[in-house]
Amino acid sequence: MITSTLLFNVLHFLNITIDIRNVCVFLAPLFSSLTTIVTYHLTKELWSTGAGLIAASLISIVPGYISRSVAGSYDNEGIAIFCMLLTYTLWIKAVKRGSVAWAVVCSLAYFYMVSSWGGYVFLINLIPMHVFALMLTGRFNSKVYVSYCTVYCLGTILSMQIPFVGFQPIQSSEHMAAFGVFGLCQIVGFYHYIQSVLSKQEVHLLARFAIGSVVIVGLTAATILQFTGKIAPWTGRFYSLLDPSYAKNNIPIIASVSEHQPTAWSSFYFDLQLLVFMFPVGLYYCFANLSTENIFIILYGVTSIFRWCYGKIDVGSSSSDVRCRCYRYE
């Protein structure tokens, strides 16, 4: 609604007379057009300009996204999918360049995403998952450190300004993964520093002691905070993601919503068409040419497909990410 009001006022300031109803009706098609541009830039960062053009053309005609961006579809997802892809694009740019400026812009895009859709929780868990995967594969460096610390700190502060979010980023269990990876970044960064100061034997001894201490203190603190209520427990929607029968057995009101029903397998083909067959090929090329950005897109594809299997609410976001990976084939 804020976006609609802003567009309405800007158009009237430019002496373009338009009714607020028409702004609301055409808001989703407008942002779907912007999504094609963002998809081009995202795929361009991942592969090449040609792949970006193909990705933009496919996202503009794939049924899975058209259903979320038709005229009159005045829903959060009309803007949220654009915000999600924009945040991912800026994240890839920040990681590849190690730029604080790109990380700050990414934080602003994340803030817009948080203000538009509650699905931002997927985003704030995917980015830490990417950083953690880079640590495991030995690809963590100063560029990733600068980008993630900037995005996490600034993005968390900005997201807490949204009324319905409040202090959830520091109290909710759904946000603890991001905080944990932030702590790991400091530990890994400190480890890289002491490698240049101490001998190899001293580094290994200190590392074993530090890892054991951090694990014990972290688990103890998390357990105490969980039992004292300082950290909110997992929500019903999270348990439904792990166990599809949880909502049906424990929270019928969630199970009664059609968006929370498991997706029929036929919907994959009807919503993605040829991209269903291109996805495994694109995934193969991502594994064959592993890089920092390819690891991100692999995680994005696998997690989105998993989410889509258990909730139609993720059709738009998952279909758009599937395309980005399939374009790797091009």
Side-chain angles (χ1 to χ4, degrees):
M1 291 186 288
I2 295 176
T3 303
S4 302
T5 304
L6 180 62
L7 287 175
F8 176 77
N9 291 329
V10 169
L11 291 174
H12 273 259
F13 177 78
L14 299 175
N15 292 322
I16 301 176
T17 304
I18 187 172
D19 189 72
I20 186 65
R21 181 188 61 181
N22 293 327
V23 173
C24 296
V25 168
F26 293 102
L27 186 67
L30 171 63
F31 273 87
S32 66
S33 301
L34 297 177
T35 301
T36 60
I37 299 175
V38 173
T39 302
Y40 163 76
H41 286 285
L42 174 59
T43 315
K44 179 183 176 182
E45 289 291 327
L46 297 172
W47 191 254
S48 65
T49 301
L53 292 173
I54 295 176
S57 62
L58 289 176
I59 197 174
S60 64
I61 61 174
V62 69
Y65 186 53
I66 291 177
S67 64
R68 301 286 173 172
S69 59
V70 296
S73 177
Y74 193 64
D75 196 5
N76 303 62
E77 295 163 10
I79 295 178
I81 295 174
F82 160 77
C83 297
M84 181 176 289
L85 290 179
L86 177 62
T87 305
Y88 292 150
T89 303
L90 296 172
W91 166 250
I92 294 297
K93 286 180 176 289
V95 169
K96 290 179 67 175
R97 294 163 178 79
S99 170
V100 175
W102 281 114
V104 170
V105 178
C106 179
S107 302
L108 296 175
Y110 171 68
F111 170 68
Y112 192 26
M113 171 65 193
V114 174
S115 64
S116 64
W117 194 28
Y120 77 92
V121 175
F122 172 67
L123 188 150
I124 197 56
N125 281 281
L126 179 61
I127 291 178
M129 190 184 303
H130 178 219
V131 176
F132 185 68
L134 294 178
M135 292 179 183
L136 296 179
T137 55
R139 299 174 183 271
F140 184 84
N141 52 36
S142 59
K143 293 181 179 180
V144 180
Y145 176 84
V146 170
S147 300
Y148 183 73
C149 290
T150 304
V151 170
Y152 176 75
C153 294
L154 185 58
T156 300
I157 293 174
L158 291 174
S159 65
M160 291 173 65
Q161 311 310 310
I162 307 299
F164 78 88
V165 175
F167 286 91
Q168 290 185 31
I170 59 175
Q171 292 181 338
S172 172
S173 299
E174 296 173 345
H175 297 78
M176 287 300 104
F179 177 72
V181 171
F182 176 73
L184 281 177
C185 286
Q186 314 313 314
I187 296 173
V188 174
F190 179 71
Y191 177 75
H192 288 169
Y193 168 74
I194 63 174
Q195 278 184 318
S196 61
V197 179
L198 302 177
S199 65
K200 188 174 182 180
Q201 184 178 2
E202 292 174 331
V203 168
H204 284 295
L205 180 62
L206 181 60
R208 286 196 296 268
F209 173 76
I211 292 174
S213 301
V214 169
V215 170
I216 294 174
V217 172
L219 291 177
T220 303
T223 303
I224 294 175
L225 292 174
Q226 185 78 36
F227 279 104
T228 56
K230 298 297 182 180
I231 298 179
W234 301 106
T235 62
R237 293 187 66 178
F238 175 81
Y239 286 120
S240 298
L241 184 63
L242 299 178
D243 179 13
S245 63
Y246 176 84
K248 181 179 180 180
N249 298 330
N250 299 276
I251 314 176
I253 192 171
I254 293 180
S256 64
V257 180
S258 60
E259 288 183 338
H260 299 160
Q261 300 299 320
T263 306
W265 288 107
S266 58
S267 297
F268 280 91
Y269 178 74
F270 288 124
D271 287 342
L272 298 178
Q273 299 291 325
L274 181 63
L275 299 177
V276 172
F277 309 104
M278 293 176 64
F279 170 68
V281 179
L283 201 62
Y284 166 78
Y285 273 85
C286 286
F287 276 107
N289 300 275
L290 270 183
S291 62
T292 300
E293 55 271 21
N294 282 0
I295 291 175
F296 174 79
I297 214 67
I298 289 171
L299 293 172
Y300 188 10
V302 174
T303 53
S304 293
I305 289 296
F306 178 76
R307 291 168 69 232
W308 192 22
C309 290
Y310 297 117
K312 294 180 181 178
I313 193 172
D314 300 317
V315 166
S317 59
S318 61
S319 62
S320 60
D321 96 85
V322 167
R323 268 160 276 139
C324 294
R325 258 163 333 300
C326 293
Y327 305 152
R328 301 282 308 184
Y329 177 71
E330 302 295 334

